[in-house]
């Protein structure tokens, strides 16, 4: 089974993903936990380019194809082999990030991006995509203070440096996209304590048969 986590910066996606992985492992299943960008060796190099705030001149289309290259490599080298060996694969971001950030966020056509992603991943879409939904101000405040604490504002801060308007489009984009894919893409209310949010995540994992 293939599950992905999505959401704006600072939505608590990373914490929920870690807890979900532990929860699935406790049920005796093998899990591969991975992420985008940067889930393969090539991807680590692409990630460094994509997230460096000094690369602010990357065009929307160049950015798009770098994400697609990262994903194509990730699917073939990492995700498909793990699924074939019977593991549950849990990824921090996947194709829906491109559709929402480069599409709803940057203004490229989401349906066109859906098709390009479909080519990049050879038709492999997750069975379940959980979108951690939180108001943009709270999320960005959390993400910026985390980057500052880790000292990675410059190396990894290209998206955190985007405007509130951009992140609002991203949040709304996730909500619109989820409405178009009600079976697979589920919105999770990410407000409240981590325990409260995780309880909501568990309900959806159980509904997916885990
Ligand atoms: P990351 O440091 O992994 O952020 P987060 O902790 O929020 O997941 O950075 C990933 C950034 O790349 C994030 O801001 C979203 C962006 N992104 C895209 O714009 N398109 C994509 O296809 C992917 C995978 C990520």
């Amino acid at each position: 089974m293939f599950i992905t986590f999505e959401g704006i910066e600072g939505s608590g996606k990373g914490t929920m993903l870690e807890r979900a992985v532990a929860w699935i492992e406790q049920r005796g299943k093998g899990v591969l936990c991975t992420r985008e960008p940067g889930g393969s060796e090539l991807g680590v190099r692409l990630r460094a380019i994509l997230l460096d705030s000094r690369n602010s001149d990357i065009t929307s289309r160049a950015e798009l194809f770098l994400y697609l290259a990262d994903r194509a490599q990730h699917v073939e080298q990492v995700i498909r082999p793990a699924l074939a060996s019977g593991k549950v694969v849990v990824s921090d971001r996947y194709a829906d990030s491109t559709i929402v950030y480069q599409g709803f966020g940057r203004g490229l056509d989401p349906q066109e991006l859906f098709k390009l992603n479909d080519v990049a991943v050879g038709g492999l879409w997750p069975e379940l995509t959980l979108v951690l939904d939180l108001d943009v101000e709270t999320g960005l405040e959390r993400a910026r203070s985390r980057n500052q604490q880790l000292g990675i504002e410059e190396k990894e801060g290209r998206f955190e440096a985007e405007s509130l308007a951009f992140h609002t489009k991203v949040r709304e984009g996730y909500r619109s996209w989820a409405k178009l894919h009600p079976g697979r893409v589920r919105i999770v209310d990410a407000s409240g304590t981590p325990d409260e949010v995780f309880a909501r995540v568990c309900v959806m994992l159980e509904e997916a048969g885990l």
Side-chain angles (χ1 to χ4, degrees):
M1 177 174 295
F2 181 25
I3 301 170
T4 58
F5 280 77
E6 296 282 350
I8 58 162
E9 270 66 14
S11 58
K13 171 171 64 62
T15 310
M16 289 306 127
L17 181 136
E18 266 175 37
R19 291 180 72 161
V21 167
W23 185 90
I24 299 166
E25 279 171 343
Q26 273 163 19
R27 310 204 147 200
K29 297 199 167 79
V31 184
L32 175 87
C33 177
T34 186
R35 72 164 173 181
E36 290 191 356
S40 65
E41 270 179 38
L42 173 69
V44 169
R45 299 205 288 278
L46 293 172
R47 179 184 174 92
I49 298 171
L50 279 162
L51 301 190
D52 193 323
S53 55
R54 288 164 293 187
N55 289 332
S56 59
D57 68 332
I58 301 186
T59 69
S60 299
R61 280 176 195 278
E63 176 182 83
L64 164 66
F65 283 96
L66 288 170
Y67 277 116
L68 294 178
D70 171 67
R71 184 158 306 124
Q73 187 80 3
H74 188 207
V75 164
E76 204 158 315
Q77 263 193 347
V78 179
I79 300 177
R80 281 195 193 275
L83 291 172
S85 74
K87 287 197 173 135
V88 176
V89 174
V90 182
S91 183
D92 187 343
R93 299 193 182 279
Y94 189 65
D96 300 293
S97 277
T98 302
I99 291 164
V100 170
Y101 279 78
Q102 280 64 54
F104 293 92
R106 301 250 192 258
L108 299 176
D109 175 9
Q111 292 302 341
E112 192 185 12
L113 295 185
F114 177 75
K115 287 189 218 142
L116 288 171
N117 268 287
D118 200 46
V119 175
V121 303
L124 182 73
W125 290 86
E127 276 133 286
L128 178 65
T129 295
L130 297 179
V131 178
L132 278 304
D133 179 59
L134 188 68
D135 76 88
V136 174
E137 285 88 348
T138 314
L140 275 181
E141 208 176 296
R142 280 201 214 158
R144 286 190 183 128
S145 73
R146 175 198 61 193
N147 285 359
Q148 241 166 28
Q149 271 170 16
L150 297 172
I152 57 171
E153 304 109 290
E154 186 172 63
K155 265 170 83 184
E156 294 239 339
R158 195 163 67 86
F159 282 88
E160 283 78 357
E162 288 281 352
S163 67
L164 203 60
F166 175 80
H167 288 98
T168 304
K169 281 193 246 170
V170 169
R171 182 192 188 192
E172 292 309 321
Y174 273 125
R175 289 152 79 107
S176 313
W177 191 241
K179 284 198 193 116
L180 294 174
H181 298 268
R184 173 177 70 85
V185 185
R186 311 272 312 264
I187 297 284
V188 182
D189 175 3
S191 64
T193 65
D195 285 347
E196 283 164 350
V197 181
F198 189 60
R200 297 174 197 134
V201 168
C202 285
V203 170
M204 295 187 189
L205 294 176
E206 271 167 358
E207 280 173 15
L210 280 162

